[in-house]
Amino acid sequence: MTSPLSRRDLLRLAGAAAAVPVLSSCAGAPPARTAAPGTFTVYWNAGHDYQAYRKVIAEFEQANKVKVNLQKYQWPDLRTRLLADFASGTVPDLVEEPGGWVQEFALSGNARSLQDYVDRDGAAMGFPGDWRPVTVERNSYQGKIYGVQLHLTCNTLLYNKAMLRNAGLEPPTTWEEFLAAARKLTKDGVYGVALNQDYTYVWPWLTQAGVTPYDPKTGGIMEPVADAVEALQFQADLIHKHKVAPVPVSSTDYSGPQKLFSAKRAAMIFTGPWDLDPIAKTSPDIELGIAPPLRHKQQATQAAGVSMFVPAKAPRPDLSWDFIKRITDLKVEQAATKETGMLMPRVSWADLPEVQSNQAIKVFADALPYAQDSSQQVRLTGRLGKWEDQLKVMYQQILIQNEPAADALATFTKAAEGFLK
């Protein structure tokens, strides 16, 4: 959900030629991998070029007498470029990643342990104590820190307040209430809900059902199986049985539900803060409501967001660590949230006035303690890519093709057992 959490299945689709590098403080220089003397190279997501971060860059440049070469990419292109760099041995000084790469590259030896810096500076900067535990766990490998979370986001329920009010409904809090509301809201060409075709949107439902994706100790996959089947079938039934949601369109675009919501053709969607701005821009007349994550066996949602890591062969790790410390300072988080509405990983961030006074941000912030990382145990096997390929197939079989959830899950489990051994 990177976006969000970040869309890992897209990461294999594009080549580096499509990248759009932008150079900070060295305009006109070629985007070469080899850093010029006095140049500090950062690979960054194109959507995260905030003014708050530009200020940090200027201060970093002045303090360290370097020029920052900020190369901006979409995630698929960044990954393609980075893998090529790892193969060549010439790497950037620092990398922003969409969630999940830190442990992958720690496992492959391409990420540098930051534990020595954490041991020295962690207490002063509030790390890891002031970071949500899920963000520390997902950036650790074999007991050592390899990355530091920059943003932390999650997925929850957005709804059209006027539609619910006119139907005499309160925002749902459980699956049962949600289904009842969706049924009542489906009329006159409007669906009660629009579901996303992106397979990563399966995780809030599975976490709410209490499903453990993978247990490395027992080898168990998607257990308890009955609860996993229930969660998967519940989503399919919204579409094919109850007819309260349209059949998702299979594509690489995950903005379909937001567009239906903005067009007032869907009363509810499940999404993250990344859709707040598109909704505000395309349909400012919608009275937007945001509800906490739904509850079934437990209240939960999916953790998403980006981290930073230092490649193992980065030439100046001291400078890289200094950059990380500066850009994760609480005052910088405060400025970035004020500028963009982005959610942050520090526990103390949630108490800032910019968070508490903004109802939309506050609801998401209150949901962060319920956010779980559902792919960590699979990432640590080094088989995440195969897992996600199979998960995508299963999700679309169930939601789009209406294959019984029990059958699709059994096929998925058999495949996963093969490559997770």
Side-chain angles (χ1 to χ4, degrees), residues 162-301:
M163 288 184 179
L164 266 69
R165 183 168 57 245
N166 293 338
L169 294 168
E170 294 293 327
T173 62
T174 66
W175 287 14
E176 292 76 18
E177 291 176 1
F178 169 75
L179 175 57
R183 282 172 164 167
K184 196 167 185 180
L185 290 162
T186 301
K187 59 182 179 179
D188 303 327
V190 176
Y191 286 101
V193 64
L195 300 181
N196 209 301
Q197 59 81 31
D198 184 336
Y199 69 96
T200 62
Y201 283 76
V202 73
W203 289 119
W205 302 96
L206 289 170
T207 57
Q208 288 160 17
V211 175
T212 298
Y214 174 61
D215 185 339
K217 294 181 180 179
T218 66
I221 297 170
M222 295 293 191
E223 292 183 340
V225 174
D227 294 323
V229 170
E230 180 191 18
L232 294 166
Q233 194 63 55
F234 183 86
Q235 295 167 77
D237 287 349
L238 292 171
I239 301 166
H240 301 287
K241 179 180 178 181
H242 305 300
K243 311 292 185 182
V244 299
V247 178
V249 177
S250 178
S251 73
T252 58
D253 182 10
Y254 62 86
S255 64
Q258 174 265 309
K259 292 175 180 177
L260 287 173
F261 185 85
S262 293
K264 301 179 182 178
R265 293 181 54 206
M268 299 182 288
I269 59 173
F270 293 95
T271 190
W274 49 88
D275 273 337
L276 295 180
D277 188 56
I279 291 169
K281 288 180 177 177
T282 59
S283 48
D285 58 322
I286 287 181
E287 191 179 355
L288 179 64
I290 305 175
L294 295 179
R295 184 177 66 255
H296 191 52
K297 291 202 168 182
Q298 62 179 1
Q299 187 177 22
T301 186

Side-chain angles (χ1 to χ4, degrees), residues 13-310:
L13 297 181
V20 187
V22 177
L23 307 184
S24 168
S25 304
C26 53
R33 294 191 185 98
T34 302
T39 299
F40 182 86
T41 301
V42 178
Y43 287 1
W44 210 248
N45 179 262
H48 297 159
D49 185 12
Y50 303 159
Q51 288 303 312
Y53 296 161
R54 287 284 176 169
K55 183 179 178 181
V56 171
I57 287 171
E59 293 170 350
F60 174 84
E61 288 178 326
Q62 184 175 8
N64 293 289
K65 309 304 180 186
V66 296
K67 294 295 182 180
V68 172
N69 175 6
L70 185 70
Q71 299 193 18
K72 299 187 293 183
Y73 301 88
Q74 299 298 333
W75 294 127
D77 304 322
L78 193 157
R79 183 177 177 89
T80 301
R81 177 65 173 270
L82 190 60
L83 292 175
D85 288 353
F86 288 157
S88 72
T90 304
V91 297
D93 292 281
L94 185 72
V95 179
E96 181 189 14
E97 59 86 46
W101 295 3
V102 171
Q103 288 177 323
E104 175 188 354
F105 295 139
L107 191 66
S108 66
N110 286 307
R112 184 193 192 282
S113 169
L114 302 176
Q115 193 61 50
D116 51 344
Y117 295 112
V118 173
D119 292 341
R120 186 188 71 192
D121 301 333
M125 64 184 285
F127 185 87
D130 196 32
W131 266 250
R132 304 238 177 233
V134 66
T135 70
V136 179
E137 294 167 3
R138 73 193 315 209
N139 287 303
S140 300
Y141 176 62
Q142 294 184 337
K144 294 182 178 181
I145 300 293
Y146 279 81
V148 177
Q149 194 89 8
L150 178 66
H151 304 153
L152 176 62
T153 63
C154 66
N155 177 305
T156 194
L157 177 68
L158 272 60
Y159 62 94
N160 186 311
K161 284 186 177 180
M163 288 184 179
L164 266 69
R165 183 168 57 245
N166 293 338
L169 294 168
E170 294 293 327
T173 62
T174 66
W175 287 14
E176 292 76 18
E177 291 176 1
F178 169 75
L179 175 57
R183 282 172 164 167
K184 196 167 185 180
L185 290 162
T186 301
K187 59 182 179 179
D188 303 327
V190 176
Y191 286 101
V193 64
L195 300 181
N196 209 301
Q197 59 81 31
D198 184 336
Y199 69 96
T200 62
Y201 283 76
V202 73
W203 289 119
W205 302 96
L206 289 170
T207 57
Q208 288 160 17
V211 175
T212 298
Y214 174 61
D215 185 339
K217 294 181 180 179
T218 66
I221 297 170
M222 295 293 191
E223 292 183 340
V225 174
D227 294 323
V229 170
E230 180 191 18
L232 294 166
Q233 194 63 55
F234 183 86
Q235 295 167 77
D237 287 349
L238 292 171
I239 301 166
H240 301 287
K241 179 180 178 181
H242 305 300
K243 311 292 185 182
V244 299
V247 178
V249 177
S250 178
S251 73
T252 58
D253 182 10
Y254 62 86
S255 64
Q258 174 265 309
K259 292 175 180 177
L260 287 173
F261 185 85
S262 293
K264 301 179 182 178
R265 293 181 54 206
M268 299 182 288
I269 59 173
F270 293 95
T271 190
W274 49 88
D275 273 337
L276 295 180
D277 188 56
I279 291 169
K281 288 180 177 177
T282 59
S283 48
D285 58 322
I286 287 181
E287 191 179 355
L288 179 64
I290 305 175
L294 295 179
R295 184 177 66 255
H296 191 52
K297 291 202 168 182
Q298 62 179 1
Q299 187 177 22
T301 186
Q302 169 73 351
V306 302
S307 299
M308 297 169 292
F309 74 94
V310 179

